[in-house]
Amino acid sequence: MISQMFAKKRSFIAALALTSALSAGMANAAVEEIHFLIPGGAGGGWDGTARGTGEALSKSGLVETVSYENMSGGGGGKAIAHLIEVDGQADNTLMVNSTPIVIRSLSKVFPQSFRDLKPIAATVGDYAAFVVPTNSKYQTFQQLINDYKENPRSVAVAGGSARGSMDHLVAAMAFKAAGGDPKRVKYVAYDAGGKAMAGILSGEAHVLSTGFSEALALKNAGEVRILAMTGDERSAAAADVPTLKELGYDATFINWRGFFGSPGLSDEKADEYAAVLEKMYSTDEWAVVRDRNGWTEVFKPRAEFTTFLEGQEQQVGDLMRELGFLQ
């Protein structure tokens, strides 16, 4: 009987301790729940950004519950339309997006723009990069430029999205900075980064225009050499890769990635999300995710994010008009 009493007492104390621990965890969470809406499929840049951010928020205890939903279609337009449609019922939803929301809005791929959503914050940046297969004759970006200047049609640039997309525009910007005619870039469009990579491996194209984090993964796998990247300075994740600027070309580019809420999300809730994302930067869990992906921190909350988007819209629009993609 006495032993049973002690056993019950121990069980009660253990249950009480567990309840207290759970309560403490909930009390420490800055936000109870975030549901990440991802406008593309698994394995892409949007997917990696949402899941990496969710991992850091969850493991650091800043957010109690994290979930994900991939919704491909319409170049990201399907997810945007969905978030607008469920306005009022999506206070826990954050949609990840990036520079393409500006490009595709300008080119009318979908009718909405960032103005139809509630900008929360830009969180990370991914530079662009130019990569070639390890067996390519091109050892330097300058060699590629020399061939382009001699005969622009002799250099085919692969990208994982359509003409006029970010991969195309970044290549045009780089070749223009090197003294070439951006309108003469021979851009070979593929419908995914993996297919674009297969294109340069097969010889259908000579160089791949892609995100630096994707290029870094390919480089670490021993599949490619990175000829140049578009940062202001070299990345610690690949210190041997030169920037366009240090090669003498006045061109930089960063593909921001960040989060949006539904249009009717209250400013109070939007500020709460921006605040928890800012807190995330000081956690060890975030440092692991950031360094693993080679991301650069570009935190721009709320009003600052909106101002940045307006500026990028002007810059990208000017280049698209120069290339003939906009009137």
Side-chain angles (χ1 to χ4, degrees):
M1 179 69 70
I2 293 176
S3 61
Q4 289 179 338
M5 289 174 60
F6 276 119
K8 289 181 179 179
K9 185 174 182 181
R10 282 197 299 269
S11 298
F12 174 75
I13 292 172
L16 184 62
L18 178 60
T19 302
S20 299
L22 291 172
S23 299
M26 292 173 64
N28 290 333
V31 172
E32 183 177 339
E33 178 183 5
I34 293 181
H35 178 67
F36 287 103
L37 178 61
I38 304 165
W46 286 332
D47 188 68
T49 301
R51 292 179 189 276
T53 301
E55 175 188 332
L57 290 171
S58 178
K59 287 184 175 180
S60 66
L62 287 172
V63 177
E64 184 185 342
T65 303
V66 174
S67 57
Y68 309 92
E69 178 183 4
N70 291 85
M71 186 178 290
S72 302
K78 182 178 179 180
I80 294 171
H82 172 74
L83 190 56
I84 293 171
E85 182 181 342
V86 298
D87 189 24
Q89 303 172 354
D91 280 2
N92 66 339
T93 300
L94 293 184
M95 183 188 71
V96 63
N97 221 292
S98 56
T99 306
I101 195 174
V102 174
I103 297 172
R104 291 167 186 170
S105 173
L106 286 169
S107 55
K108 307 301 181 187
V109 171
F110 43 71
Q112 305 91 350
S113 77
F114 62 85
R115 294 178 179 84
D116 296 299
L117 302 168
K118 177 81 74 169
I120 304 299
T123 54
V124 297
D126 188 16
Y127 298 112
F130 299 96
V131 308
V132 294
T134 52
N135 63 354
S136 170
K137 69 175 184 178
Y138 295 116
Q139 299 293 320
T140 68
F141 190 75
Q142 185 60 56
Q143 292 172 342
L144 187 75
I145 290 298
N146 290 343
D147 277 3
Y148 181 79
K149 286 183 175 180
E150 186 175 332
N151 177 12
R153 305 304 294 174
S154 71
V155 176
V157 181
S161 44
R163 284 180 54 79
S165 66
M166 187 171 65
D167 291 341
H168 186 183
L169 293 176
V170 169
M173 175 196 71
F175 283 35
K176 176 185 177 183
D181 181 354
K183 294 181 181 178
R184 301 192 68 186
V185 172
K186 184 179 179 180
Y187 180 76
V188 184
Y190 296 87
D191 63 5
K195 292 182 180 180
M197 179 63 194
I200 65 168
L201 291 176
S202 70
E204 290 179 346
H206 305 99
V207 59
L208 173 65
S209 173
T210 189
F212 181 62
S213 61
E214 285 86 355
L216 192 59
L218 294 169
K219 176 179 184 288
N220 292 339
E223 297 186 60
V224 303
R225 286 196 303 275
I226 307 178
L227 298 182
M229 51 90 77
T230 62
D232 288 311
E233 56 187 31
R234 293 194 185 202
S235 168
D240 59 324
V241 177
T243 67
L244 292 176
K245 284 185 71 173
E246 72 177 83
L247 295 176
Y249 311 127
D250 186 18
T252 60
F253 179 84
I254 188 166
N255 174 26
W256 59 268
R257 290 181 184 143
F259 297 94
F260 297 80
S262 60
L265 186 70
S266 69
D267 287 335
E268 180 183 11
K269 194 72 175 176
D271 289 341
E272 183 179 306
Y273 286 135
V276 77
L277 289 168
E278 185 173 17
K279 287 179 183 177
M280 177 185 70
Y281 287 114
S282 62
T283 67
D284 293 337
E285 291 79 6
W286 168 251
V288 170
V289 172
R290 178 199 62 207
D291 295 345
R292 184 176 71 214
N293 289 281
W295 289 335
T296 298
E297 294 174 354
V298 292
F299 185 65
K300 300 179 188 297
R302 306 287 281 114
E304 187 180 347
F305 187 23
T306 299
T307 300
F308 170 79
L309 289 167
E310 291 168 348
Q312 187 180 63
E313 186 179 58
Q314 182 65 49
Q315 179 188 27
V316 169
D318 288 345
L319 181 57
M320 292 178 72
R321 276 183 281 274
E322 181 179 352
L323 295 173
F325 291 112
L326 294 179
Q327 299 300 318

